[in-house]
Amino acid sequence: MLADLLAKQSTLHHVLTISFLLLIFCVFLRYRSARCRLANPNGLPYPPGPKGLPIVGNLFDLARSNDTNIYESLAKEYGELVFLSAFGKSVLVLNSSEAANELFDKRSANYSDRAQSVMSNELMGWDFSFGHMRYGEQWKKHRRVFHQQFQQSVAQTYWPIQRREAHALLRRLLDSPENLDYHLRLNAAAVIMSITYGITIALSGDRYIRLAEKALEGMGAAARPGAFLVDFVPFCNDWVPGASFKRKAKEWRVAVTGMKEAPFATVLNNMKEGRAAPSFVCNLLNDLQTKENVEDQIQTIKNCAGLTYAGMFTVSTLASFILAIVLHPEVQSRAQEELDCVVGRDRLPDFSDRPSLPYISAIVKEVLRWNPVAPFGLPHMSTNDDEFRGYFIPGGTIVVGNSRCILNDPLRYPEPRRFNPDRFMAEADRNSNQHLSPGDPLSVAFGYGRRFCPGRYAGEAQVWISIACILSVFDIGHALDDEGRPIPVVPAFTTGMICHPMPFKFSMKPRGENARLLIQQTELCA
């Protein structure tokens, strides 16, 4: 009887606790609603969007999976602005380059902040990343350090490393093209680790790669608005012990910490022993201003170095390139004609050939457009209340650029799902500079406004040299079944922060014996 009484008391306690929390939450929503009315004295409407439910709002309209298709459908229904609200927090999705340019660029002072995700920052440990930081002095300090080593003029110093690893990728593809995904991940990691830390990675089972991939898995899972309820109802972090999101966050936090700390410690040890290779970290540590705040400077360098793993986007970009070539053999034929005319077949293309290879550069641009790696990127946040096109945007609104929708706008890019590098050739004829300019509408593939990817020049260069080298020595096409018939390929992509092609069959063979010898000879120069 005593046990039953205690059990009833415990149950009553839980009911009262939950009721109390719900009461507090309802009061909070009433307060937030009243604050929004005061901040919006003209009574302007919110941007268009689906009608929400009481209390939870648009919680069930926020995509937790298949987000690309869900937000594309919302864009078709509501237009270039889609407004969602859940538990009193607002999300605005921008579906046109005009709206994105107006808010992220022209009004960048108000749209460069980041929402502080409980899941990403507090639980997973991404608070060190200036990509996740609030817009302010701390962010500016980190951005300056990163820009110092990755601005366009400095990015050229990394070309020898990128060329070396592009050649290594050719050798691996020659030996086992069926392991494409592994080879691309190894290629990206080798470039990043060499540039950032001067570390040569292991060809299999590398611990740095394992840590980075696990950490980036968590970042991608938490990036989409509404993926984890704790970001909309922060107090559930305190009163939901043992929840699944906490178990996931704990695993990811171990990887995030290891990704940041382990390679940095290796560089420090190598520097003490006098055998550190030149690198992003080594260069900055050697240039330390030792008069003041040394520990703070070291922490900033470590934080910036840890963010270079975002360069793993090249894996998805190059996989999308292979898929596009399988589906469009005419693109490969034209590219190889250009390469044979400019470079010949007795050497591999180099960065010095880039001005003379406009079609290869057009392919790079079309790959970035056709399947943007980060269809939504890391969301921005409005700092203050704002009015835009007669609509009210509350301060603290999470603002997302729908890059997938923007780069598939049929008015700007006719037949957007067709892979067609020709759409960029007229631009190439007008401008001998084959790089993306910050004002180019295609630059949204690297982010928006003041928060665009600062490593874009190095990343774009790696994609260019890899594509040029692959096309110069390989013929890519459909794989054949047992009866010699081409295996059909239907393009399909994952969803989430990083959009990667789903597995597909393909054939990759050297363009003759001379091409095979060219690939094999690269090992002598490695």
Side-chain angles (χ1 to χ4, degrees):
M1 182 178 292
L2 179 60
D4 291 341
L5 181 60
L6 290 173
K8 289 179 180 178
Q9 288 179 336
S10 176
T11 301
L12 180 61
H13 174 74
H14 280 93
V15 169
L16 290 174
T17 300
I18 293 173
S19 299
F20 179 69
L21 290 171
L22 286 174
L23 176 62
I24 292 175
F25 185 60
C26 289
V27 170
F28 165 75
L29 289 181
R30 290 287 298 273
Y31 163 77
R32 185 178 177 87
S33 177
R35 190 196 72 81
C36 287
R37 286 195 297 272
L38 290 172
N40 183 15
N42 296 325
L44 295 173
Y46 292 108
K51 186 177 180 180
L53 299 171
I55 299 180
V56 298
N58 298 112
L59 179 64
F60 301 108
D61 296 306
L62 293 167
R64 290 175 177 78
S65 62
N66 198 28
D67 44 4
T68 303
N69 292 332
I70 288 174
Y71 289 122
E72 186 174 13
S73 297
L74 288 173
K76 289 178 180 178
E77 184 173 357
Y78 296 102
E80 59 181 338
L81 304 176
V82 176
F83 187 81
L84 305 159
S85 180
F87 293 117
K89 290 193 175 182
S90 307
V91 177
L92 177 63
V93 183
L94 308 179
N95 301 308
S96 73
S97 59
E98 292 78 15
N101 179 64
E102 178 67 34
L103 296 189
F104 291 138
D105 290 294
K106 295 182 180 178
R107 305 189 191 187
S108 59
N110 193 47
Y111 290 93
S112 296
D113 210 348
R114 290 276 198 240
Q116 294 305 281
S117 163
V118 174
M119 187 67 178
S120 292
N121 291 17
E122 293 183 25
L123 299 179
M124 290 166 50
W126 279 102
D127 52 331
F128 79 88
S129 159
F130 71 87
H132 292 75
M133 286 179 186
R134 298 290 305 269
Y135 181 71
E137 290 307 312
Q138 184 77 346
W139 173 83
K140 291 177 182 178
K141 177 176 67 175
H142 282 73
R143 179 80 177 206
R144 279 194 299 270
V145 169
F146 200 96
H147 177 74
Q148 179 183 334
Q149 297 293 314
F150 282 97
Q151 58 186 299
Q152 188 170 10
S153 59
V154 177
Q156 298 178 17
T157 63
Y158 305 131
W159 287 356
I161 293 173
Q162 293 173 317
R163 179 174 55 242
R164 181 192 71 203
E165 294 304 329
H167 293 172
L169 175 62
L170 297 181
R171 296 195 298 272
R172 295 179 190 121
L173 290 173
L174 178 64
D175 293 338
S176 55
E178 67 277 5
N179 295 326
L180 174 68
D181 187 66
Y182 177 79
H183 296 327
L184 294 181
R185 288 189 288 114
L186 188 65
N187 169 256
V191 171
I192 291 167
M193 292 301 293
S194 184
I195 287 175
T196 308
Y197 300 103
I199 293 175
T200 301
I201 62 172
L203 296 182
S204 63
D206 187 88
R207 66 182 180 120
Y208 301 121
I209 297 178
R210 289 200 307 270
L211 288 169
E213 291 186 339
K214 184 69 175 178
L216 292 174
E217 171 194 303
M219 183 207 284
R224 63 166 71 97
F228 292 96
L229 185 61
V230 68
D231 284 332
F232 280 82
V233 191
F235 61 76
C236 77
N237 182 35
D238 300 319
W239 63 274
V240 186
S244 62
F245 72 85
K246 288 189 175 183
R247 292 193 295 273
K248 291 178 181 178
K250 188 175 181 180
E251 291 178 18
W252 285 325
R253 188 180 187 91
V254 171
V256 171
T257 302
M259 177 194 74
K260 181 180 68 166
E261 299 290 342
F264 193 83
T266 299
V267 176
L268 290 179
N269 185 61
N270 289 345
M271 291 180 71
K272 288 178 182 177
E273 296 178 358
R275 55 187 181 89
S279 67
F280 169 95
V281 169
C282 191
N283 295 343
L284 288 171
L285 289 175
N286 284 330
D287 293 340
L288 268 180
Q289 302 297 318
T290 56
K291 293 182 180 180
E292 56 182 22
N293 299 326
V294 174
E295 287 302 318
D296 182 66
Q297 292 181 64
I298 292 175
Q299 190 63 46
T300 299
I301 295 169
K302 184 193 297 184
N303 292 347
C304 289
L307 194 59
T308 59
Y309 288 102
M312 293 290 283
F313 85 89
T314 59
V315 176
S316 177
T317 304
L318 291 175
S320 295
F321 154 70
I322 299 295
L323 173 61
I325 294 301
V326 172
L327 296 170
H328 298 276
E330 72 282 359
V331 172
Q332 175 173 250
S333 298
R334 182 167 171 184
Q336 289 176 338
E337 286 178 11
E338 181 181 75
L339 284 162
D340 292 347
C341 179
V342 174
V343 178
R345 302 186 70 164
D346 294 323
R347 69 175 178 89
L348 292 169
D350 206 343
F351 288 104
S352 58
D353 299 310
R354 187 166 186 175
S356 303
L357 295 170
Y359 194 69
I360 301 299
S361 294
I363 290 175
V364 173
K365 291 183 177 183
E366 181 68 344
V367 171
L368 293 172
R369 185 207 66 81
W370 187 62
N371 179 39
V373 175
F376 304 101
L378 287 174
H380 294 221
M381 185 178 76
S382 61
T383 305
N384 301 305
D385 297 334
D386 196 14
E387 177 185 341
F388 180 56
R389 296 184 182 171
Y391 296 114
F392 176 64
I393 302 174
T397 296
I398 296 171
V399 187
V400 181
N402 189 345
S403 302
R404 165 86 176 192
C405 195
I406 292 171
L407 295 175
N408 279 266
D409 178 0
L411 296 179
R412 188 181 295 274
Y413 306 106
E415 297 182 85
R417 295 318 300 150
R418 179 173 171 239
F419 187 85
N420 178 23
D422 272 329
R423 66 177 86 244
F424 295 107
M425 287 303 289
E427 171 190 321
D429 291 340
R430 293 191 303 269
N431 183 4
S432 60
N433 181 9
Q434 303 301 313
H435 302 274
L436 281 175
S437 64
D440 191 316
L442 186 58
S443 67
V444 304
F446 291 96
Y448 300 88
R450 300 180 186 181
R451 306 298 295 238
F452 79 90
C453 174
R456 56 175 287 180
Y457 300 111
E460 186 190 0
Q462 185 182 347
V463 170
W464 187 90
I465 192 66
S466 300
I467 287 177
C469 286
I470 289 171
L471 286 173
S472 70
V473 292
F474 286 113
D475 282 322
I476 302 164
H478 282 275
L480 304 179
D481 63 18
D482 294 338
E483 297 182 5
R485 294 173 301 191
I487 298 174
V489 172
V490 178
F493 304 91
T494 62
T495 61
M497 180 182 175
I498 302 298
C499 187
H500 193 80
M502 299 291 282
F504 60 95
K505 298 288 186 180
F506 66 96
S507 167
M508 181 180 289
K509 298 178 181 179
R511 297 177 66 200
E513 190 58 28
N514 190 57
R516 182 188 298 275
L517 290 174
L518 268 181
I519 297 170
Q520 292 170 340
Q521 288 168 4
T522 61
E523 193 159 14
L524 301 176
C525 305

